[in-house]
Amino acid sequence: MAELNGAPVTSEALQALALINYGHFTSMRVQDQQVRGFSHHIDRLANDCQLLFNVSLDRDRVREFVRHAVKGERGAFVVRVTIFDPALELGHPTSSAEPSVLITTRPAMPLPPSPIRVQTVGYRRDLPEVKHVGLLGSIWHRRQVQMHGYDDALFIDNASFVSEGATWNIGFFDGERVIWPNAEVLPGVTMRLLNQVHDNTITAPVNIRDVPVMQAAFATNTTIGVRAISAIDRIKLTDDHPIFETLRKEYEEIPPEQL
């Protein structure tokens, strides 16, 4: 399913998105027409739209487009809302600033997801605070580590401090506290919600040398919830620590918002 500004999308309207690849998005897991943190997703779109297009996004308009696109759909699925300007020109990106709203859906994976093994790579996304559509670097590194037998890529800087995964945040558990890396990352909605409900949570620098003393590590985003990480490079980690079920339970108890 794909709708642009509430109507079926045409291939011509998607040319700018495909060829110029300038825009931003958010993805959310919908369960029976409800989303945890829906208002956070809308805020993200509004903030990123202001930054990339210098335009105020109509939040109510976006909500209506989402409702229209998935009306009557039951069960679990993922909705992606992409904001881009079909009239944007490569040579003069300031010549137009009328962002459109593209709504697409895809199936949702079963929860909880299976554990993953990740490999570290030196990389920092462009504008890491923005969930933008420029995914080349992230997907390139994901592809490379999968060719080496891992499931996904974990980004580190040139001093081996951990930041984020290819399309997810990472958290650690040291036996007492949940630790989110103090780095330039995308502030994920799931991470924000867990911060609100889990006591004894901190943000601090995490170096790859710190990983062996951690009791557990996990990935989070809206489509996977809380996903155990069973290895980082050659460092093995437990994939059945009680912290995973604790975080999942706390997350699931957050009241979802109606679309």
Side-chain angles (χ1 to χ4, degrees):
M1 188 286 302
E3 290 188 357
L4 185 66
N5 297 333
V9 65
T10 65
S11 58
E12 291 79 11
L14 295 179
Q15 285 186 6
L17 184 60
L19 299 177
I20 302 176
N21 205 34
Y22 187 87
H24 61 95
F25 71 101
T26 195
S27 294
M28 61 194 91
R29 184 185 180 96
V30 181
Q31 179 74 49
D32 295 329
Q33 298 288 304
Q34 295 180 318
V35 175
R36 285 183 179 83
F38 187 41
S39 57
H40 289 287
H41 286 283
I42 299 298
D43 287 344
R44 164 190 280 166
L45 292 172
N47 293 336
D48 290 354
C49 189
Q50 187 66 52
L51 179 61
L52 294 190
F53 294 103
N54 197 29
V55 170
S56 296
L57 188 68
D58 188 331
R59 287 173 165 83
D60 292 335
R61 181 170 176 257
V62 174
R63 285 176 179 267
E64 183 54 39
F65 286 152
V66 173
R67 294 190 191 104
H68 181 269
V70 304
K71 183 178 181 180
E73 295 290 334
R74 308 305 298 176
F77 53 95
V78 176
V79 170
R80 170 168 162 158
V81 183
T82 304
I83 309 297
F84 75 106
D85 187 350
L88 192 74
E89 296 181 8
L90 182 61
H92 298 89
T94 59
S95 63
S96 177
E98 297 183 10
S100 291
V101 182
L102 174 67
I103 310 293
T104 54
T105 61
R106 69 177 190 269
M109 68 167 59
L111 295 179
S114 58
I116 56 172
R117 299 170 61 252
V118 303
Q119 185 177 33
T120 57
V121 296
Y123 183 64
R124 174 188 178 274
R125 293 186 308 107
D126 294 333
L127 291 176
E129 72 276 16
V130 175
K131 195 174 181 70
H132 53 75
V133 299
L135 297 177
L136 174 63
S138 295
I139 302 306
W140 161 261
H141 287 298
R142 173 176 284 169
R143 184 176 188 274
Q144 295 304 302
V145 304
Q146 288 180 356
M147 292 173 65
H148 289 97
Y150 289 86
D151 299 302
D152 214 338
L154 175 63
F155 303 148
I156 59 174
D157 66 13
N158 56 12
S160 295
F161 283 96
V162 174
S163 58
E164 60 186 349
T167 55
W168 38 270
N169 293 112
I170 186 170
F172 296 89
F173 184 65
D174 67 358
E176 296 182 1
R177 305 163 300 176
V178 167
I179 304 172
W180 302 102
N182 182 18
E184 292 183 302
V185 302
L186 178 73
V189 171
T190 303
M191 180 180 72
R192 288 182 177 181
L193 294 176
L194 286 171
N195 270 335
Q196 294 174 8
V197 298
H198 186 77
D199 295 332
N200 210 0
T201 299
I202 66 168
T203 300
V206 177
N207 195 281
I208 195 66
R209 294 188 297 269
D210 301 323
V211 174
V213 302
M214 297 293 180
Q215 291 193 10
F218 56 93
T220 68
N221 68 26
T222 188
T223 62
I224 62 176
V226 175
R227 187 171 200 173
I229 295 175
S230 60
I232 299 178
D233 294 337
R234 296 184 179 181
I235 305 168
K236 293 185 178 180
L237 297 161
T238 181
D239 59 10
D240 61 357
H241 196 284
I243 190 62
F244 302 138
E245 287 307 312
T246 297
L247 293 173
R248 288 168 183 154
K249 183 175 184 294
E250 291 173 338
Y251 181 67
E252 291 168 1
E253 289 176 349
I254 297 172
E257 300 175 46
Q258 196 71 31
L259 292 179

